[in-house]
């Protein structure tokens, strides 16, 4: 069985997409692309540009987002206007004529690539995805497992905790996505191990909810910021050793592989070796615009992850449909499936699906 542990569906981005208002959704989207690797262009002539105009350096909360008429465009682009010029961020594939991705699009992609099942993650930029992900999972239980959304910085409040209970008890979801960078909505008000967050971690552990955790280096956006968040999360895990954690995205190459090989500090390895924890193997979404298929640079890093963390801890993910701004869905799988000669057949089976199936209980009766 091949399982994609990192995929997305979403309603048309022109709307609120489950958030209280369209404006809230647009703010999520604008914040997501302030530091994106997606290419940015000046629309009148295609000249390469950047997204620095989207925010004020030094104010990393939503209060620092600039007024640039940020809007949802067509053909995979998010648009903004700065000093009279229109710009587009190619965040989604060019072939996405409208910014919408129903479950059936993901299923068609999976059929074409030979993928059996996918995990739907739930970052706020896609929308408040709890209901839509749950609906997709009920429609296609053999093919889709959905995660719930939470307002991350406020996750320990009674209102957010009630949403978690509703997602589990009424909607049948058994996993939750938490993106550290989304704490910018409230200005990164406290660290992950703060007292304000304790009820949330307690809830996840007590109810045995799988945590899909995407770490960030914010608000400082440097190695110190990343390690500060990671070690704070390590203290959370020390209090809740039974917490099951799926670490979204591969470890950042810019911080830990500046010479082309992963060199992890002991403090990071101590967290990543938590039991039970799994980490994503997913490189084309971040480096597919720099490296060429079949990404030998990424294959080297996968070998490093295997040697330092163990193949049994690794799960393949794509970040569909975003990844097709750089390569096809099939290529995002085949650089592992058809290459990586250092992996045995059994290790490939683990990375490409068996570990994810066991971790999320996919295929188990009553799962």
């Amino acid at each position: 069985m091949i399982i994609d542990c990192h995929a997305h569906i979403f309603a048309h981005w022109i709307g609120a997409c489950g958030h209280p208002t369209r404006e809230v959704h647009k703010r999520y989207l604008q914040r997501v692309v302030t530091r994106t690797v997606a290419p940015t262009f000046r629309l009148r002539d295609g000249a390469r540009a950047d997204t620095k105009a989207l925010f004020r350096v030094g104010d990393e909360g939503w209060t620092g987002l600039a007024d640039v008429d940020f809007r949802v465009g067509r053909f995979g682009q998010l648009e903004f206007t700065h000093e009279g010029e229109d710009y587009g961020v190619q965040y989604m594939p060019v072939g996405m004529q409208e910014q919408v991705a129903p479950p059936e699009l993901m299923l068609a992609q999976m059929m074409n690539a030979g993928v059996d099942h996918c995990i739907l993650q739930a970052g706020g930029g896609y929308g408040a995805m709890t209901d839509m992900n749950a609906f997709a999972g009920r429609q296609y239980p053999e093919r889709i497992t959905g995660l719930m959304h939470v307002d991350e910085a406020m996750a320990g409040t009674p209102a957010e905790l009630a949403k978690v209970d509703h997602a589990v008890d009424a909607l049948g979801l058994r996993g939750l996505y938490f993106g550290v960078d989304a704490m910018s909505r409230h200005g990164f008000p406290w660290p992950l191990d703060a007292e304000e967050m304790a009820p949330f971690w307690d809830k996840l552990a007590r109810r045995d909810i799988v945590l899909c955790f995407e770490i960030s280096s914010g608000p400082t956006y440097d190695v110190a910021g990343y390690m500060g968040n990671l070690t704070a999360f390590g203290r959370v895990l020390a209090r809740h050793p039974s917490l099951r954690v799926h670490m979204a995205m591969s470890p950042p190459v810019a911080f830990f592989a500046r010479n082309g090989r992963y060199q992890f500090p002991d403090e990071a390895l101590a967290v990543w070796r938590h039991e039970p924890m799994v980490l994503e193997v997913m490189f084309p979404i971040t480096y597919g615009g720099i490296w060429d298929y079949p990404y030998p640079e990424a294959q080297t890093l996968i070998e490093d992850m295997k040697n330092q963390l163990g193949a049994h801890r690794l799960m393949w993910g794509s970040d569909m449909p975003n990844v097709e701004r750089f390569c096809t869905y099939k290529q995002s799988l085949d650089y592992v499936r058809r290459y990586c000669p250092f992996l045995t057949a059994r290790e490939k089976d683990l990375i490409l699906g068996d570990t994810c199936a066991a971790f999320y209980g996919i295929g188990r009766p009553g799962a």
Side-chain angles (χ1 to χ4, degrees):
M1 175 182 285
I2 295 180
I3 302 175
D4 185 348
C5 74
H6 192 140
H8 300 279
I9 62 172
F10 46 89
H12 200 302
W13 277 358
I14 201 70
C17 296
H19 290 299
T21 66
R22 292 175 63 186
E23 186 61 29
V24 168
H25 183 221
K26 283 200 299 181
R27 302 287 270 183
Y28 266 107
L29 285 170
Q30 183 171 344
R31 188 62 176 74
V32 164
V33 295
T34 56
R35 288 180 174 83
T36 182
V37 297
T40 303
F41 305 94
R42 189 168 59 197
L43 293 181
R44 68 175 169 84
D45 59 4
R48 291 299 292 262
D50 57 47
T51 59
K52 293 178 182 176
L54 293 178
F55 67 104
R56 292 185 293 275
V57 176
D59 185 349
E60 301 300 345
W62 281 16
T63 55
L65 295 175
D67 183 3
V68 290
D69 188 24
F70 187 86
R71 56 201 181 269
V72 175
R74 298 186 65 202
F75 309 111
Q77 293 184 345
L78 298 171
E79 300 177 1
F80 63 96
T81 302
H82 176 61
E83 296 181 348
E85 294 277 7
D86 293 331
Y87 296 88
V89 182
Q90 195 65 58
Y91 192 65
M92 285 290 168
V94 176
M96 185 172 280
Q97 297 187 47
E98 297 290 339
Q99 309 277 45
V100 59
E104 292 74 19
L105 173 63
M106 190 64 210
L107 293 177
Q109 290 275 11
M110 290 162 61
M111 183 183 301
N112 184 60
V115 175
D116 300 294
H117 199 97
C118 72
I119 306 295
L120 298 179
Q121 297 195 17
Y126 299 92
M129 295 306 305
T130 299
D131 289 336
M132 189 171 181
N133 282 356
F135 179 71
R138 288 196 300 271
Q139 275 189 306
Y140 307 105
E142 302 303 316
R143 308 300 304 280
I144 289 174
T145 295
L147 305 182
M148 68 187 84
H149 165 83
V150 67
D151 182 355
E152 284 86 346
M154 298 294 109
T157 64
E160 292 299 311
L161 294 173
K163 292 178 184 177
V164 172
D165 285 330
H166 174 77
V168 174
D169 297 332
L171 302 181
L173 297 179
R174 56 183 182 272
L176 179 146
Y177 170 88
F178 186 104
V180 173
D181 212 52
M183 295 178 78
S184 63
R185 179 177 180 177
H186 303 278
F188 293 99
W190 35 67
L192 293 166
D193 59 340
E195 181 180 347
E196 290 83 356
M197 297 295 296
F200 172 67
W201 308 123
D202 292 345
K203 172 81 71 177
L204 297 187
R206 187 171 64 254
R207 303 216 58 180
D208 193 27
I209 297 169
V210 173
L211 171 64
C212 179
F213 186 75
E214 184 170 343
I215 199 165
S216 161
S217 58
T220 58
Y221 297 99
D222 53 18
V223 176
Y226 186 95
M227 290 304 302
N229 288 331
L230 188 63
T231 53
F233 185 55
R235 292 190 290 272
V236 171
L237 295 179
R239 297 172 195 160
H240 300 288
S242 66
L243 194 61
R244 293 185 291 151
V245 183
H246 162 184
M247 294 291 287
M249 309 294 290
S250 296
V253 173
F255 293 162
F256 303 123
R258 292 174 180 170
N259 297 317
R261 303 300 300 252
Y262 269 138
Q263 295 178 308
F264 298 131
D266 291 341
E267 298 90 339
L269 289 172
V271 177
W272 292 331
R273 288 171 175 161
H274 166 79
E275 290 285 358
M277 179 183 286
V278 291
L279 293 86
E280 289 186 2
V281 167
M282 193 173 72
F283 293 97
I285 187 60
T286 46
Y287 281 87
I290 300 172
W291 301 337
D292 290 330
Y293 179 84
Y295 314 122
E297 301 92 340
Q299 293 180 48
T300 297
L301 298 175
I302 294 169
E303 185 174 20
D304 289 341
M305 292 177 73
K306 169 202 164 181
N307 291 339
Q308 298 185 56
L309 296 165
H312 68 288
R313 288 183 175 273
L314 307 181
M315 306 192 307
W316 166 73
S318 70
D319 206 354
M320 273 293 287
N322 312 44
V323 73
E324 288 207 320
R325 69 189 182 213
F326 292 137
C327 67
T328 68
Y329 185 39
K330 192 169 182 290
Q331 286 174 323
S332 80
L333 167 61
D334 279 348
Y335 83 104
V336 180
R337 177 168 59 182
R338 296 182 58 193
Y339 296 90
C340 296
F342 50 86
L343 295 174
T344 67
R346 178 56 186 151
E347 288 170 338
K348 284 191 178 183
D349 286 345
L350 288 169
I351 293 170
L352 295 178
D354 286 2
T355 293
C356 189
F359 197 78
Y360 279 95
I362 295 166
R364 281 206 310 253

